[in-house]
Amino acid sequence: MDGKNALGEFLRARRERVRPEDVGLSGGGLRRVPGLRREEVALLAGISSDYYLRLEQGRDRNPSAQVLEALARVLRLDAAASAHLLSLAQPDRPAASRRRARKPEAVPASVRELLDTWSGHPAYVQNRFTDCLAANALARALSPNYVPGVNLLRAVFLDPAEHELRRDWEELTAEGVATLRGHIGPDVDDPRLVELVGELSVRSERFRLLWSRHEVRPMVGRTSLLSHPLVGDFELRSNKFEIPGTDALSVVVFHAEPGSRSAELLSLLGSLAASGDGVPGETSPAHEDR
């Protein structure tokens, strides 16, 4: 990851994922790399090949909105990825100044109180790097990684128990990496991000692959397919809500479809958590090398 040329890295990665036939070009001939050639992107976007080369190489970082819109169309970017492209092309601002302007990461006391009132719904608070900052008892019963101090993305990739819990692990990891990019935007040189990406890139081949794809997704709810060691297979829906007045902290709340078997199993897990019967403690395996 080179924070000095985030725009060029994004353009190159997304260019390599577009097949010539997707944009009406012949796919024939020898191609040294997958996807479109630079000159093909330039032609389709209505700009010169030299200018597009300067964009990819980081020698021109302030293209016009019209150029960016044309590139987004050629690269077949959706709304989230197009917005990300625009953010990467904004005039450079000192990263340190951005970080100094951030608000504290402390979870408001009222939010902590709210988490504890949701005794029937697992809920936790995370920052934009997916560090867990607070969680209620049922969330901790769902996974011992839902405790302050654990990075949840790191846990999903590196903790074997978390992998076993997630029946939709492939989809979850892809969404997690794409959402992280969406949260970070152009601030790819943030030391916390550099540390996290560096570790996961070294220790997880799947993370390296996903990070290199430069996919971007907004923060949305999802349905999680779980296989819990105490109650078996069930499904939970989740929603995420950003906490106003914080540095992009968000609350994640899980719930089961009312009247469903999953709702029964979630209630059973809550009863086990309340009694302490077989529910793991609050120490996280994600903190240790396995």
Side-chain angles (χ1 to χ4, degrees), residues 53-107:
L53 177 62
R54 294 203 305 273
L55 290 176
E56 273 205 9
Q57 292 180 340
R59 293 185 287 124
D60 190 319
R61 302 184 185 185
N62 296 300
S64 67
Q66 291 81 0
V67 167
L68 293 172
E69 290 170 0
L71 290 173
R73 184 190 72 253
V74 173
L75 300 177
R76 302 171 67 85
L77 303 183
D78 61 15
S82 297
H84 184 70
L85 173 62
L86 288 170
S87 74
L88 295 179
Q90 290 177 349
D92 290 339
R93 295 169 296 168
S97 297
R98 290 199 302 271
R99 288 192 285 274
R100 281 197 300 270
R102 288 180 186 164
K103 299 174 182 177
E105 281 200 328
V107 179

Side-chain angles (χ1 to χ4, degrees), residues 6 14 20 26 80 125 132 138 145 152 196 198 202 223 239 273 280 282-283 286:
R14 299 308 295 250
S26 172
V125 176
C132 182
L138 191 50
N145 284 311
L152 299 175
L196 178 62
V202 169
T223 297
N239 287 283
E282 294 188 4
T283 57

Side-chain angles (χ1 to χ4, degrees), residues 48-178:
S48 72
S49 297
D50 179 67
Y51 180 54
Y52 180 76
L53 177 62
R54 294 203 305 273
L55 290 176
E56 273 205 9
Q57 292 180 340
R59 293 185 287 124
D60 190 319
R61 302 184 185 185
N62 296 300
S64 67
Q66 291 81 0
V67 167
L68 293 172
E69 290 170 0
L71 290 173
R73 184 190 72 253
V74 173
L75 300 177
R76 302 171 67 85
L77 303 183
D78 61 15
S82 297
H84 184 70
L85 173 62
L86 288 170
S87 74
L88 295 179
Q90 290 177 349
D92 290 339
R93 295 169 296 168
S97 297
R98 290 199 302 271
R99 288 192 285 274
R100 281 197 300 270
R102 288 180 186 164
K103 299 174 182 177
E105 281 200 328
V107 179
S110 60
V111 174
R112 291 182 180 274
E113 294 170 359
L114 184 61
L115 294 184
D116 291 336
T117 65
W118 288 333
S119 58
H121 300 281
Y124 65 92
V125 176
Q126 68 175 23
N127 62 13
R128 63 193 188 122
F129 304 109
T130 73
D131 296 317
C132 182
L133 303 179
N136 64 13
L138 191 50
R140 296 191 295 271
L142 189 64
S143 168
N145 284 311
Y146 289 132
V147 292
V150 172
N151 181 268
L152 299 175
L153 190 67
R154 181 183 188 274
V156 166
F157 277 99
L158 301 183
D159 182 359
E162 197 71 29
H163 193 165
E164 293 175 6
L165 174 67
R166 310 287 179 170
R167 288 185 284 137
D168 57 350
W169 186 83
E170 296 281 336
E171 179 182 354
L172 176 65
T173 52
E175 289 184 5
V177 173

Side-chain angles (χ1 to χ4, degrees), residues 264-288:
E264 295 176 2
L265 293 176
L266 181 59
S267 179
L268 174 59
L269 181 61
S271 298
L272 294 174
S275 65
D277 187 8
V279 176
E282 294 188 4
T283 57
S284 171
H287 279 148
E288 302 174 2

